[in-house]
Amino acid sequence: MSVSTPSPTSLTITRPDDWHVHLRDGDMLGMTVPATARTFHRAVVMPNLVPPVTNVELAAQYRQRIMSALPSDMTFDPRMALYLTQDTTAETVMAAAQDETVIGFKLYPAGATTNSAAGVRSVEGMAATLEVMQEHGVPLLVHGEVTEPEIDIFDREKVFIDRYLVPITEQFPRLKVVLEHITTKDAADFVAAAHDQVAATITPQHILMNRNDLLVGGVYVHNYCLPVLKRRTHQEALQKAATSGSPKFFLGTDSAPHVREKKETACGCAGCFSAFTAIELYAQAFAELDALDKLEGFASHFGADFYDLPRNTDTITLQKYTWNAPELVHHGDQSWVPYWAGRELMWQQQTL
Ligand code: NCD
Ligand code: ZN
């Protein structure tokens, strides 16, 4: 007779942090800020606004707008990423180093993704700036894709790693580098093999889906994000990395809202809006991989450890409970189709 252990029906973990999120600006903050603060204590807020958040002064003003949108019964500690440009000065880097609400600089190759036009045109030309960042302990957060039209979109992450990240991590061994939203086995292998100042965030969609979910049976615009979903073998490598217990891989949702009209159109914007169900999506993926015991490290410990920040001291509880992700969310007179819209979820964060 075999004795089976009942599967858990509730899971309490240290409160997680989201190390990569797009909160946008203006009225939308009234929707995005509570959605993220529901689960996460800290969040790394991406700077790809128009105009971009390029220095500590702009970041302080943006952070203030975010905090003004926080409901009075919630706590939240946004950490701002500054937008790296070809013209970022040493003074700007040093000011960032002094400001504890600033987490580091985000490198967007110009033209790689939403609002990246002001990004870096020559990565090689950034060496002097990276040197100052290393010297002052300021992390580099990277959107790792090349943009040359002749490079296939499915190869852009790997080419970026080979061409730029291998040299950067060798040349600057003390520079903290986070390869954001990794999508390939190549990226997971690179990060695992690199020195211990190199880490990666992983989104829910890249663990839960592969490019079939984007393209088989029609084009599923709400599963379209950048870097684009890859083939199943890459998805499996990311699942393995996320559930490996390695402190180099941690949670970053890349929740990136675009209004419905800008997704459901001939040239739909890139971005999956996952904030409303983020921790539940990760729980679902980890449960399916029989790795719920690895969720807390990934979601709540490793990112804080990497950034030399204290781990959160309070907890959240997830209940095993079947429900459906919202089909549509509204704010003001606009609506958004969230990632996983209408689909079943097996876990739900308990609200007090
Ligand atoms: C992000 C956005 O919409 O700002 N989109 C996305 O597909 N991930 C930008 C980004 O992180 O690349
Ligand atoms: Zn992003």
Side-chain angles (χ1 to χ4, degrees):
M1 199 177 78
S2 71
V3 182
S4 62
T5 15
S7 57
T9 55
S10 124
L11 179 68
T12 297
I13 58 171
T14 305
R15 180 173 292 280
D17 302 299
D18 184 350
W19 301 102
H20 183 135
V21 70
H22 300 267
L23 298 177
R24 310 303 192 204
D25 206 353
D27 283 350
M28 277 184 75
L29 294 174
M31 170 180 68
T32 56
V33 171
T36 289
R38 166 189 84 105
T39 300
F40 301 104
H41 177 53
R42 285 164 297 209
V44 169
V45 182
M46 289 295 142
N48 60 335
L49 306 181
V50 186
V53 182
T54 49
N55 59 49
V56 293
E57 291 78 16
L58 290 170
Q61 291 162 14
Y62 182 29
R63 191 173 189 279
Q64 193 55 52
R65 296 195 293 279
I66 293 168
M67 294 312 281
S68 303
L70 185 70
S72 56
D73 59 343
M74 288 181 138
T75 58
F76 189 43
D77 183 4
R79 302 292 171 124
M80 314 308 287
L82 302 187
Y83 195 111
L84 191 67
T85 78
Q86 214 71 46
D87 306 318
T88 300
T89 62
E91 289 69 35
T92 302
V93 174
M94 289 186 284
Q98 297 301 313
D99 188 333
E100 70 165 29
T101 66
V102 170
I103 199 96
F105 283 84
K106 177 72 186 286
L107 188 167
Y108 292 103
T113 189
T114 307
N115 299 341
S116 61
V120 167
R121 295 180 306 277
S122 158
V123 178
E124 288 97 339
M126 297 306 297
T129 311
L130 298 183
E131 181 77 56
V132 183
M133 287 170 62
Q134 170 170 266
E135 231 27 69
H136 292 268
V138 178
L140 175 70
L141 287 53
V142 183
H143 184 111
E145 285 191 290
V146 295
T147 57
E148 284 83 351
E150 65 274 18
I151 311 281
D152 190 276
I153 189 167
F154 293 103
D155 298 332
R156 288 180 174 201
E157 186 173 83
K158 177 176 165 38
V159 174
F160 189 93
I161 291 166
D162 294 344
R163 198 183 283 175
Y164 301 119
L165 280 184
V166 169
I168 285 174
T169 52
E170 280 168 7
Q171 199 182 341
F172 303 104
R174 290 176 292 111
L175 177 67
K176 277 193 201 298
V177 177
V178 183
L179 183 50
E180 299 291 336
H181 43 52
I182 58 169
T183 63
T184 56
K185 179 172 190 305
D186 310 279
D189 290 347
F190 161 73
V191 169
H195 61 71
D196 61 9
Q197 300 299 305
V198 180
T201 54
I202 306 183
T203 75
Q205 64 267 24
H206 291 103
I207 311 180
L208 286 162
M209 290 186 171
N210 60 63
R211 64 195 191 181
N212 283 4
D213 298 283
L214 181 66
L215 295 169
V216 172
V219 181
Y220 291 87
V221 292
H222 299 292
N223 296 341
Y224 174 60
C225 66
L226 286 170
V228 73
L229 294 170
K230 305 297 192 299
R231 63 167 65 242
R232 187 181 168 83
T233 46
H234 292 300
Q235 178 194 4
E236 287 166 353
L238 300 174
Q239 292 173 339
K240 221 169 144 190
T243 59
S244 64
S246 161
K248 286 176 159 242
F249 299 100
F250 44 83
L251 185 156
T253 62
D254 195 20
S255 176
H258 294 275
V259 289
R260 184 174 195 175
E261 298 73 41
K262 290 206 169 162
K263 292 288 286 179
E264 298 178 0
T265 180
C267 182
C269 290
C272 295
F273 185 20
S274 59
F276 283 95
T277 55
I279 196 63
E280 288 88 353
L281 290 161
Y282 285 109
Q284 177 121 345
F286 277 61
E288 279 168 11
L289 296 164
D290 206 10
L292 269 180
D293 60 321
K294 297 293 196 300
L295 183 64
E296 184 177 38
F298 175 82
S300 315
H301 294 163
F302 301 154
D305 297 350
F306 178 82
Y307 281 116
D308 297 319
L309 295 168
R311 293 178 181 180
N312 295 327
T313 48
D314 61 336
T315 59
I316 63 161
T317 296
L318 292 154
Q319 303 279 4
K320 188 136 192 231
Y321 173 74
T322 303
W323 60 298
N324 291 84
E327 296 272 5
L328 204 58
V329 296
H330 304 276
H331 185 73
D333 53 8
Q334 293 189 301
S335 53
W336 290 260
V337 178
Y339 177 68
W340 210 255
R343 293 179 63 164
E344 236 175 44
L345 287 163
M346 308 302 283
W347 291 84
Q348 190 174 50
Q349 184 183 333
Q350 197 175 51
T351 46
L352 298 174

